[in-house]
């Protein structure tokens, strides 16, 4: 006989938080939203931690390198979509890792026998105004000089002019020696009013550049999510089909963490994918699994070696898995059960498995509820698709602007690997589990994040908490009736922007 679960499947909209004592410590300025991404042992710290508990969904309409850069600069993490050729996904990862780094390996280099034409061509390719002249034209060749846009005039200088005739020679350069700290390098930049500082070794071979603009950017974005080399962090989605080719390419590109992107992660295909990564790379490569909605699915992926587990089936705003297949669970109920299983596992083993809640967030307060229920971080698609930084088109419809937003289960995405159930490769989905739609355009990411994070911090203070673990320990959560939901909004009044008949 089928197994019947008597518990009602509930959504975030059916719950509210009850205030706890707000102490004088509980002010938004004191709230820390730092949270772990990958598993760790009791008494240790997760090797990857977010500064804000947000990651962007593995979707074509959401997570390319542009949004990944913007989100990492604000403290979160993007998982670049995997429904594209391996090399193009790897190139997106590389662009994120190159964007911001305290010590940057030069990718704009020429030999001394090159010409101004070569400088112009290189600038068009890379967009970089600073060019290193090395003896062999490589990033680690002997540094002979530097060229910036101030060293030549395209209107008057001939394109066949040799670079040695207008570069700043090495003896006139201010350089740093390999081994100095980033702080020391920035001091040299400020003291000498430089835009960039070459870092060389004892043999005059170029090692890195340090750029003034990177220091300025960090001051403007104090929550930047950086790795140990001061580079922005980025994740990527993979599937259970071509992982043996895709994972090495992404690792070589510098990806920080992977996630197996599947509508149903409770499968042998996902188990084998995670096991292969762990057996091939040990613990050097971090990978999350999902999606699941119950304890059994959670423990299966943990056994496979998942570094975090993603929860949620059918709760996304563009997802129609539930109405197409009748599979899924209310996001709140799924999250509560999996987080309880995570706590039991932690008590038994001393290993903490972070939980990512994916889907079901309609209002900003649902985010705080999800964190209170045990989620360590939240994966969102619709929320980020609305911003300037997302890759989809901005369109004018009527008197308002929208952005295109389509699901990975739609025929537009053609991401059959995410919904694959084995068998031969498919050229198209047999049926759709996602829709092609629009979302209201919302402007810049940073402006919207400040409002959303302000709400979360304020609610946490009302719950007597200044950290996410405190919120999960102290939160009091109550079910609400349909009448109570109506009561929670504006009612029994005439709003001033409403036409009175």
């Amino acid at each position: 006989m089928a197994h019947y679960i008597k518990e009602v499947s509930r959504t975030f909209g059916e719950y509210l938080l009850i205030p706890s004592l707000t102490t004088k410590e509980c002010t938004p300025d004191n709230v820390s939203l730092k949270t772990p991404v990958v598993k760790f042992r009791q008494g240790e710290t997760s090797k990857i931690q977010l500064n804000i508990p947000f990651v962007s969904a593995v979707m074509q309409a959401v997570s390319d390198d542009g949004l990944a850069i913007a989100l990492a600069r604000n403290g979160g993490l993007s998982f670049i979509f995997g429904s594209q050729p391996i090399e193009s996904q790897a190139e997106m990862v590389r662009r994120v890792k190159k964007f911001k780094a305290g010590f940057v390996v030069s990718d704009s280099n020429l030999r001394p026998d090159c010409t101004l034409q070569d400088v112009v061509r290189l600038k068009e390719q890379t967009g970089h105004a600073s060019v290193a002249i090395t003896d062999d034209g490589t990033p680690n060749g002997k540094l002979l000089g530097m060229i910036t846009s101030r060293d030549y005039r395209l209107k008057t200088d001939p394109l066949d002019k040799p670079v040695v005739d207008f570069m700043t020679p090495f003896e006139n350069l201010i350089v740093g020696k390999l081994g100095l700290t980033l702080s020391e390098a920035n001091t040299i930049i400020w003291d000498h009013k430089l835009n960039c500082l070459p870092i060389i070794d004892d043999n005059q071979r170029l090692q890195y550049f340090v750029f003034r603009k990177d220091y300025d950017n960090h001051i403007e974005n104090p929550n930047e999510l950086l790795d140990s080399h001061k580079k922005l962090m980025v994740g990527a989605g993979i599937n259970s089909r071509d992982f043996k080719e895709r994972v090495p390419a992404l690792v070589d590109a510098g990806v920080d963490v992977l996630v197996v992107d599947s509508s149903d992660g409770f499968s042998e295909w996902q188990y084998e994918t995670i096991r292969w990564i762990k057996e091939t790379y040990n613990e050097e490569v971090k990978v999350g699994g999902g999606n699941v909605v119950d304890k059994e699915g959670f423990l299966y992926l943990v056994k496979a070696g998942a570094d975090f587990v993603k929860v949620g089936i059918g709760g996304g705003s563009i997802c129609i898995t539930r109405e197409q297949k009748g599979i899924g669970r209310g996001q709140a109920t799924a999250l509560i059960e999996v987080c309880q299983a995570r706590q039991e596992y932690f008590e038994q083993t001393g290993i903490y498995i972070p939980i990512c809640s994916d889907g079901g967030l309609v209002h900003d307060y649902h985010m705080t509820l999800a964190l209170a229920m045990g989620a360590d971080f939240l994966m969102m698609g619709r929320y980020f698709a609305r911003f300037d930084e997302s890759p989809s088109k901005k369109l004018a419809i009527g008197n308002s602007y929208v952005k295109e937003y389509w699901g990975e289960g739609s025929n537009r995405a053609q991401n059959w690997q995410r919904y694959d159930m084995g068998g031969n490769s498919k050229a198209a989905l047999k049926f759709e589990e996602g829709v092609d739609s629009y979302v209201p355009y919302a402007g810049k990411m940073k402006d919207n994040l400040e409002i959303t994070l302000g709400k979360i911090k304020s609610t946490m203070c009302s719950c007597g908490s200044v950290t996410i673990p405190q919120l999960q320990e102290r939160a009091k959560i109550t079910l609400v009736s349909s009448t109570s939901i109506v009561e929670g909004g504006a009612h029994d009044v005439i709003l001033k922007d409403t036409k009175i008949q």
Side-chain angles (χ1 to χ4, degrees):
M1 278 188 66
H3 176 67
Y4 289 90
I5 298 174
K6 295 181 180 180
E7 181 185 7
V8 175
S9 182
R10 299 190 181 278
T11 66
F12 294 129
E14 297 176 81
Y15 292 93
L16 287 175
L17 289 156
I18 295 176
S20 297
L21 175 65
T22 302
T23 65
K24 293 180 180 179
E25 175 196 27
C26 295
T27 63
D29 289 345
N30 286 336
V31 173
S32 169
L33 295 177
K34 205 171 186 69
T35 191
V37 176
V38 297
K39 64 186 177 185
F40 58 95
R41 289 190 174 276
Q42 189 172 16
E44 299 179 353
T45 303
S46 175
K47 290 186 177 180
I48 302 177
Q49 295 190 80
L50 302 173
N51 292 325
I52 63 172
F54 292 171
V55 299
S56 64
V58 192
M59 300 175 69
Q60 295 173 10
V62 180
S63 296
D64 68 347
D65 53 295
L67 189 123
I69 289 169
L71 185 51
R73 294 181 73 190
N74 283 279
L77 183 77
S78 285
F79 285 94
I80 290 179
F81 71 94
S83 50
Q84 60 177 314
I86 293 172
E87 183 48 42
S88 63
Q89 187 187 24
E91 180 57 30
M92 286 188 179
V93 170
R94 280 191 286 268
R95 287 201 288 266
V96 178
K97 301 306 290 187
K98 288 179 180 179
F99 178 82
K100 170 76 171 90
F103 293 97
V104 183
V105 176
S106 176
D107 61 358
S108 294
N109 313 282
L110 292 173
R111 299 186 311 274
D113 60 346
C114 291
T115 65
L116 178 57
Q117 177 68 65
D118 297 312
V119 174
V120 173
R121 187 180 298 114
L122 184 61
K123 184 177 179 181
E124 290 175 349
Q125 291 174 353
T126 65
H128 299 157
S130 298
V131 178
I133 307 302
T134 60
D135 61 344
D136 57 3
T138 67
N140 298 121
K142 185 177 181 180
L143 183 63
L144 303 179
M146 283 283 300
I147 293 175
T148 70
S149 56
R150 292 176 297 182
D151 295 319
Y152 57 87
R153 291 176 294 179
L154 286 177
K155 290 183 179 180
T156 59
D157 288 340
L159 291 177
D160 60 354
K161 185 176 183 179
V163 296
V164 292
D165 289 351
F166 60 92
M167 73 181 186
T168 301
F170 177 78
E171 52 267 25
N172 293 339
L173 292 175
I174 295 172
V175 299
K177 285 297 185 74
L178 186 64
L180 86 173
T181 67
L182 184 59
S183 177
E184 291 168 339
N186 283 320
T187 297
I188 295 173
I189 288 173
W190 277 95
D191 288 347
H192 296 275
K193 296 181 173 59
L194 304 175
N195 287 324
C196 71
L197 177 71
I199 308 297
I200 61 171
D201 64 13
D202 292 336
N203 297 314
Q204 200 178 312
R205 302 188 75 82
L206 179 63
Q207 300 297 312
Y208 304 105
F209 278 127
V210 177
F211 291 95
R212 181 192 184 106
K213 65 180 177 64
D214 288 346
Y215 175 81
D216 294 337
N217 284 336
H218 181 65
I219 296 299
E220 294 173 5
N221 300 281
N223 277 333
E224 279 183 322
L225 189 65
L226 305 175
D227 64 16
S228 58
H229 300 290
K230 304 297 182 182
K231 297 181 180 181
L232 293 177
M233 300 190 76
V234 61
I238 61 173
N239 62 69
S240 57
R241 280 284 183 169
D242 63 11
F243 61 91
K244 292 183 180 179
E245 296 76 38
R246 190 174 294 269
V247 171
L250 293 170
V251 171
D252 184 64
V255 74
D256 294 287
V257 59
L258 302 169
V259 65
V260 187
D261 183 37
S262 175
S263 63
D264 176 11
F266 194 6
S267 73
E268 291 184 343
W269 294 290
Q270 184 152 155
Y271 187 98
E272 290 173 358
T273 302
I274 295 172
R275 287 307 313 152
W276 180 85
I277 293 172
K278 290 302 177 182
E279 290 168 359
T280 303
Y281 294 97
N282 251 333
E283 289 301 318
E284 296 304 311
V285 174
K286 304 300 182 184
V287 56
N291 287 19
V292 299
V293 293
D294 63 5
K295 176 180 180 178
E296 190 177 2
F298 166 79
L299 292 175
Y300 186 76
L301 295 183
V302 170
K303 182 181 178 182
D307 290 291
F308 67 87
V309 173
K310 201 146 64 82
V311 176
I313 294 178
S317 60
I318 44 73
C319 184
I320 54 174
T321 296
R322 295 179 191 175
E323 65 181 64
Q324 289 282 57
K325 295 173 63 176
I327 288 176
R329 197 176 195 184
Q331 187 66 11
T333 300
L335 183 61
I336 290 169
E337 177 173 325
V338 173
C339 288
Q340 287 175 343
R342 183 266 310 280
Q343 185 60 28
E344 293 171 4
Y345 184 83
F346 177 63
E347 292 171 357
Q348 293 168 3
T349 66
I351 300 173
Y352 187 90
I353 310 291
I355 299 297
C356 172
S357 180
D358 177 18
L361 301 171
V362 180
H363 303 292
D364 284 359
Y365 82 89
H366 290 171
M367 301 176 189
T368 317
L369 269 168
L371 295 171
M373 289 174 176
D376 296 281
F377 56 101
L378 316 174
M379 178 171 280
M380 297 181 288
R382 178 187 60 86
Y383 181 86
F384 291 111
R386 305 171 301 147
F387 302 148
D388 286 323
E389 295 83 356
S390 75
S392 64
K393 290 181 181 179
K394 175 185 170 185
L395 304 170
I397 296 182
N399 296 322
S400 50
Y401 285 97
V402 298
K403 294 205 74 175
E404 292 184 310
Y405 180 46
W406 61 96
E408 290 298 294
S410 67
N411 278 325
R412 177 173 180 174
Q414 286 295 302
N415 187 8
W416 63 265
Q417 297 97 328
R418 188 177 198 273
Y419 298 86
D420 186 27
M421 299 294 287
N424 297 324
S425 297
K426 306 168 182 63
L429 296 168
K430 296 296 185 183
F431 57 89
E432 291 185 293
E433 292 188 46
V435 299
D436 194 351
S437 63
Y438 302 113
V439 288
Y441 168 67
K444 295 181 180 179
M445 176 190 293
K446 192 176 186 69
D447 296 340
N448 287 273
L449 274 177
E450 287 178 357
I451 295 171
T452 298
L453 296 174
K455 292 178 184 178
I456 292 175
K457 289 179 179 181
S458 179
T459 304
M460 287 175 63
C461 290
S462 294
C463 293
S465 307
V466 293
T467 67
I468 293 173
Q470 281 185 2
L471 177 68
Q472 293 168 347
E473 181 182 349
R474 300 174 182 178
K476 295 182 288 185
I477 303 172
T478 182
L479 275 169
V480 294
S481 67
S482 57
T483 306
S484 179
I485 294 172
V486 173
E487 180 186 64
H491 60 91
D492 301 321
V493 296
I494 300 173
L495 299 179
K496 289 187 176 181
D497 61 353
T498 302
K499 292 183 179 180
I500 300 176
Q501 301 294 332

